[in-house]
Amino acid sequence: MSPHTSLISTLSLFLGTTLTISSNHWITAWMGLEINTLAIIPLISKSHHPRAIEASIKYFLTQAAASTIILFSSTINAWSTGQWDITQLTHPTACSLLTSAIAMKLGLAPFHFWFPEVLQGSPLITALLLSTVMKFPPVAIFLLTSNSLNPTLLTTMAIMSVALGGWMGLNQTQVRKILAFSSIAHLGWMTSIIIFNPKLALLTFFMYILITTAIFLSVNTTNSLSLSAVMMSWTKTPPLNATLMLTLLSLAGLPPLSGFLPKWLIIQELTKQEMAATATIIALLSLLSLFFYLRFTYYSTITMSPNATNHMKLWRPSKPMTPAIAILMTLSSTLLPL
């Protein structure tokens, strides 16, 4: 991929994200989402592999459908209220349509089918962008319209997402697919609380971004695309694998690591809102995801590969940890204890 194309795509990504986050009018928010979609497609399909082309087509179709529904819901709302302001979403049909469209953009269940496939077909850094940066604009729209969304619909989607994210990640062996299902489950946690406490939802989202970025960058350093490759990678960078274990346990939400903080606060808030049943269900369902995170940590640190490696075990690795990975991993493990 030429540097110019890469630069234009990256700048368009930032432009689209900024445009959506900072807009009050539905049309500018929609424009930002469209710029984002078109900017990420060259980054997904740059390897020219059939899998990558398939991923970019799937991504384009789902995002185009979601953008159309957003435009349709905002038009219905404007037709009935005369308002194009994002915060003035009052029409019930428009609210339901918008919730479905944003769920499709984010990959929430039951609109999650495209997400693992697209992530699996993308390079690791593009998969990182799809899991983090590309979720900013839809989450921003969710936060702006959180007063007028339907609580029952959102809670149902949240429980489905946590259940499916855990259930479908159980027998995965590909790192990108595991992280995709983990993303679906985390967004389920975020959706469950967004009406009652938008700031807490934002905290959950930022925490998820921090920990996921650390994991993606570390598996990109060792170039481990499957669990068997993760098992082999400890000979290349032992310190990185040891910290990867802590980061994965933090993503699983085990105390006293940072990832426990949002889950703890969400369960507390749901109990305050007299939704103890919902809190219990999502807490129990997150045990499913805990299983595959534990399996991932087991492969990364505790298991030695059955076949002997031909090179010396280096404690001075050929690919040292970059400062960015070191800082992200430290934060994703120690923010809560600090």
Side-chain angles (χ1 to χ4, degrees):
M1 192 177 193
S2 78
H4 296 103
T5 318
S6 181
L7 179 68
I8 290 169
S9 289
T10 315
L11 287 176
S12 303
L13 269 180
F14 285 112
L15 170 69
T17 307
T18 315
L19 193 62
T20 305
I21 290 173
S22 56
S23 61
N24 289 323
H25 196 284
W26 276 114
I27 298 294
T28 45
W30 172 79
M31 276 165 57
L33 289 168
E34 286 300 297
I35 291 170
N36 250 0
T37 303
L38 294 174
I40 195 89
I41 285 173
L43 297 176
I44 299 173
S45 60
K46 69 180 174 188
S47 65
H48 300 298
H49 189 274
R51 193 99 196 231
I53 305 298
E54 181 192 341
S56 51
I57 290 170
K58 279 179 180 169
Y59 185 75
F60 175 72
L61 291 175
T62 45
Q63 298 298 312
S67 296
T68 312
I69 297 171
I70 288 175
L71 206 53
F72 183 46
S73 79
S74 56
T75 312
I76 290 176
N77 191 60
W79 184 263
S80 63
T81 61
Q83 282 283 351
W84 279 100
D85 193 332
I86 292 184
T87 51
Q88 304 296 321
L89 188 74
T90 49
H91 195 278
T93 313
C95 291
S96 302
L97 278 171
L98 179 84
T99 310
S100 311
I102 297 292
M104 205 184 288
K105 283 258 176 211
L106 287 172
L108 280 170
F111 306 105
H112 64 285
F113 294 100
W114 63 273
F115 190 57
E117 295 299 324
V118 169
L119 233 61
Q120 184 56 30
S122 315
L124 275 168
I125 296 298
T126 311
L128 168 63
L129 288 175
L130 284 168
S131 305
T132 55
V133 179
M134 298 303 288
K135 299 206 166 167
F136 264 114
V139 168
I141 294 178
F142 245 168
L143 288 167
L144 286 170
T145 56
S146 59
N147 316 329
S148 45
L149 298 175
N150 181 349
T152 319
L153 182 60
L154 278 181
T155 309
T156 311
M157 277 185 177
I159 292 172
M160 282 175 73
S161 298
V162 178
L164 278 161
W167 199 259
M168 295 179 74
L170 284 179
N171 62 348
Q172 299 298 334
T173 55
Q174 297 294 321
V175 169
R176 284 168 293 187
K177 278 201 171 175
I178 289 175
L179 289 168
F181 287 117
S182 135
S183 171
I184 293 167
H186 275 85
L187 287 168
W189 278 87
M190 190 197 80
T191 313
S192 66
I193 202 70
I194 202 157
I195 295 181
F196 309 111
N197 193 338
K199 285 181 181 171
L200 178 53
L202 200 58
L203 169 76
T204 310
F205 183 60
F206 283 141
M207 210 70 201
Y208 159 73
I209 282 184
L210 172 75
I211 302 171
T212 304
T213 307
I215 291 173
F216 264 114
L217 290 177
S218 61
V219 294
N220 184 53
T221 305
T222 55
N223 199 21
S224 315
L225 296 177
S226 64
L227 288 181
S228 52
V230 170
M231 207 195 300
M232 298 282 288
S233 70
W234 73 275
T235 52
K236 296 180 200 167
T237 49
L240 184 63
N241 271 31
T243 44
L244 176 63
M245 178 186 79
L246 281 175
T247 315
L248 282 161
L249 292 176
S250 178
L251 191 62
L254 292 184
L257 302 165
S258 310
F260 175 58
L261 175 69
K263 293 188 175 179
W264 179 26
L265 292 174
I266 285 173
I267 290 173
Q268 198 177 356
E269 184 66 33
L270 284 173
T271 316
K272 276 184 197 165
Q273 300 290 342
E274 297 180 1
M275 292 179 69
T278 308
T280 311
I281 291 167
I282 61 171
L284 287 173
L285 287 170
S286 66
L287 292 174
L288 290 168
S289 351
L290 176 63
F291 173 77
F292 65 77
Y293 291 128
L294 284 175
R295 194 180 57 180
F296 199 155
T297 56
Y298 186 75
Y299 274 105
S300 73
T301 336
I302 305 166
T303 312
M304 284 178 71
S305 177
N307 46 337
T309 48
N310 296 327
H311 56 85
M312 292 282 287
K313 293 160 188 59
L314 302 170
W315 274 96
R316 269 194 193 157
S318 51
K319 267 187 162 180
M321 253 209 237
T322 59
I325 297 178
I327 291 166
L328 284 167
M329 284 195 153
T330 310
L331 285 175
S332 54
S333 316
T334 57
L335 264 182
L336 177 60
L338 287 174

